[in-house]
Amino acid sequence: MAVWGERLAGVRGVLLDISGVLFDSCEGGGVPIPGSVEAVARLKQSQLKVRFCTNESQKSRGKLVGLLQRLGFDISEGEVTSPAPAACQILKERGLRPHLLVHDDILSEFDKIDTSNPNCVLIADAGDAFSYKNMNKAFQVLMELENPVLISLGKGRYYKETLGLMLDVGAYMKALEYACGVEAEVVGKPSPEFFKNALQVLGVEAHQAIMIGDDIVGDVGGAQRCGMRALQVRTGKFRCEK
Amino acid sequence: MAVWGERLAGVRGVLLDISGVLFDSCEGGGVPIPGSVEAVARLKQSQLKVRFCTNESQKSRGKLVGLLQRLGFDISEGEVTSPAPAACQILKERGLRPHLLVHDDILSEFDKIDTSNPNCVLIADAGDAFSYKNMNKAFQVLMELENPVLISLGKGRYYKETLGLMLDVGAYMKALEYACGVEAEVVGKPSPEFFKNALQVLGVEAHQAIMIGDDIVGDVGGAQRCGMRALQVRTGKFRCEK
């Protein structure tokens, strides 16, 4: 415990990943990871500031939070930093009109975005919508652009559902990068801007915060590069051998 | 012409790419590229040895040759070097039992391959069979293997059909490489073994041969690295700007 006391000295804020840390998702719902509902409750009763920092891009924040509430978590939409709203801000600032390759359940996040006559492609964890036809369309849109812009909501390799590991958006990002000869702009973890935004809303400095996640690259590496501390849980996609 | 005479001095054999050089494919068939039927006929009437060297992995050799014959080309199955038969030889030599992620039209090439209890994944240009579900299954098979082996029939970025550019197997190879942290073994152009095999069957040395193709990496670069000459046509996927 003394070691933990040292490691956590000065921590005032906690950023919590969601998938693989709070729950494992499955078709149509999810299952809380044992102890996680109670852990969130205890954190919120403590002196620590808490924010949820997720790369979830298959569901809108509203749907995700609704699901977590039904599973027993004390969480509200305003406590969640997720990639889609961050991407919408970037799209507006830069006058980008995306061709969207996303899951139907997140389309509502882009309600106020002009998608006519696309000048970029935005991909998210589209699940079954990652058909050859849809990927080919995204590829063709990029190849027609003079300055192709590819925005990816996260770049995870895979995540864990109750039935097993599932390919994440990062794999499809790599496919389009290779086919089109472009480099994607990642919105979400491990992008420093994304962590900084979450910290700003939380009102703590990087050195006062700890990120808790199951992804060694997206959560742990990304947070550490921002000057935060980080802790990798042994749930979700955690695998001993890698 | 004097320049061409010098460039082609000592050439005894010609390797011809098929898609984008002889014809552009489309759903259910294809369209010959103007002049190509006559060019093949003239080459075959000349003193030059001719072989077709393709990365076609959506159709079996039999189906491809049947289509080309219907389009008017003088071509037979024995004149074609393609990745599936080369891959079958490798699978047998190394005792590999593949999980196949391929198009139905090429399944017959793997008739004599044991696919029970897979210890590797083999992908080809699967077209619409590159669904999320099928990609995820290939990913899961690789993640379960202690020594994951991924074999890709070619690594092309895209090819041209009559309706436009189409994502090729290379994009999906990159997706699986990234998700699983593996490096694929490529069977087909630009693999040196593949070119060497074609040259051996043709009975000419590398310095006596020229490769004609529309892919600057797969055809031209690959052939040059084997000591062959190469010529890029301005049909198929050729694009001035890239």
Side-chain angles (χ1 to χ4, degrees), chain A residues 132 136 140 155 165 167 178, chain B residues 132 136 140 155 167 178:
Chain A
Y132 180 77
N136 204 48
Q140 289 177 337
K155 62 169 190 175
L165 300 180
L167 270 181
Y178 177 72
Chain B
Y132 181 76
N136 204 48
Q140 289 177 337
K155 61 170 190 176
L167 270 181
Y178 177 72

Side-chain angles (χ1 to χ4, degrees), chain B residues 122-136:
Chain B
L122 183 149
I123 65 172
D125 174 18
D128 288 332
F130 276 133
S131 64
Y132 181 76
K133 191 179 162 196
N134 288 348
M135 277 292 284
N136 204 48

Side-chain angles (χ1 to χ4, degrees), chain B residues 27-96:
Chain B
E27 188 81 27
V31 179
I33 290 166
S36 59
V37 170
E38 298 75 13
V40 170
R42 282 183 61 192
L43 277 172
K44 289 192 141 189
Q45 285 158 10
S46 74
Q47 302 292 315
L48 294 164
K49 294 182 173 186
V50 178
R51 189 162 182 86
F52 303 91
C53 186
T54 179
N55 267 7
E56 171 66 48
S57 68
Q58 192 169 110
K59 297 179 190 73
S60 65
R61 271 186 306 178
K63 284 189 176 154
L64 176 64
V65 165
L67 167 61
L68 289 167
Q69 288 172 341
R70 284 194 298 280
L71 296 178
F73 288 99
D74 175 5
I75 183 172
S76 66
E77 211 172 317
E79 293 172 310
V80 176
T81 293
S82 67
C88 287
Q89 194 174 336
I90 291 169
L91 295 169
K92 284 179 195 161
E93 282 168 8
R94 290 165 55 186
L96 291 170

Side-chain angles (χ1 to χ4, degrees), chain B:
Chain B
M1 288 303 285
V3 173
W4 279 105
E6 281 173 35
R7 285 181 183 163
L8 297 177
V11 164
R12 292 185 48 227
V14 177
L15 293 182
L16 285 173
D17 181 26
I18 294 180
S19 174
V21 174
L22 301 192
F23 85 125
D24 286 323
S25 62
C26 64
E27 188 81 27
V31 179
I33 290 166
S36 59
V37 170
E38 298 75 13
V40 170
R42 282 183 61 192
L43 277 172
K44 289 192 141 189
Q45 285 158 10
S46 74
Q47 302 292 315
L48 294 164
K49 294 182 173 186
V50 178
R51 189 162 182 86
F52 303 91
C53 186
T54 179
N55 267 7
E56 171 66 48
S57 68
Q58 192 169 110
K59 297 179 190 73
S60 65
R61 271 186 306 178
K63 284 189 176 154
L64 176 64
V65 165
L67 167 61
L68 289 167
Q69 288 172 341
R70 284 194 298 280
L71 296 178
F73 288 99
D74 175 5
I75 183 172
S76 66
E77 211 172 317
E79 293 172 310
V80 176
T81 293
S82 67
C88 287
Q89 194 174 336
I90 291 169
L91 295 169
K92 284 179 195 161
E93 282 168 8
R94 290 165 55 186
L96 291 170
R97 301 177 306 275
H99 169 83
L100 297 172
L101 174 43
V102 304
H103 196 283
D104 280 351
D105 282 352
I106 203 174
L107 271 177
S108 60
E109 298 268 21
F110 299 94
D111 270 352
K112 292 179 182 146
I113 297 295
D114 179 6
T115 56
S116 64
N117 189 24
N119 58 6
C120 76
V121 167
L122 183 149
I123 65 172
D125 174 18
D128 288 332
F130 276 133
S131 64
Y132 181 76
K133 191 179 162 196
N134 288 348
M135 277 292 284
N136 204 48
K137 178 64 188 172
F139 158 73
Q140 289 177 337
V141 170
L142 282 169
M143 292 296 276
E144 289 296 322
L145 295 175
E146 198 170 341
N147 298 304
V149 173
L150 171 61
I151 293 174
S152 181
L153 301 199
K155 61 170 190 176
R157 293 163 57 199
Y158 54 84
Y159 55 92
K160 184 166 174 267
E161 289 207 341
T162 51
L163 290 177
L165 300 180
M166 306 292 285
L167 270 181
D168 200 356
V169 62
Y172 288 90
M173 177 192 87
K174 287 290 172 185
L176 290 174
E177 283 187 338
Y178 177 72
C180 304
V182 301
E183 190 172 345
E185 301 177 25
V186 177
V187 178
K189 300 175 285 184
S191 153
E193 290 76 19
F194 192 72
F195 283 115
K196 282 174 193 162
N197 177 270
L199 290 172
Q200 198 174 17
V201 179
L202 200 58
V204 301
E205 301 289 326
H207 71 274
Q208 301 171 319
I210 185 165
M211 173 77 212
I212 298 175
D214 64 335
D215 189 312
I216 192 71
V217 175
D219 296 322
V220 175
Q224 288 176 336
R225 270 200 304 280
C226 287
M228 297 167 63
R229 278 165 271 190
L231 192 151
Q232 187 182 25
V233 293
R234 298 193 170 213
T235 51
K237 79 183 79 174
F238 176 82
R239 286 157 59 99
C240 281
E241 72 269 39
K242 294 211 174 181

Side-chain angles (χ1 to χ4, degrees), chain A residues 108-125:
Chain A
S108 61
E109 298 268 21
F110 299 94
D111 271 353
K112 293 180 181 144
I113 297 295
D114 179 6
T115 56
S116 64
N117 189 22
N119 59 5
C120 76
V121 167
L122 183 148
I123 64 171
D125 174 19

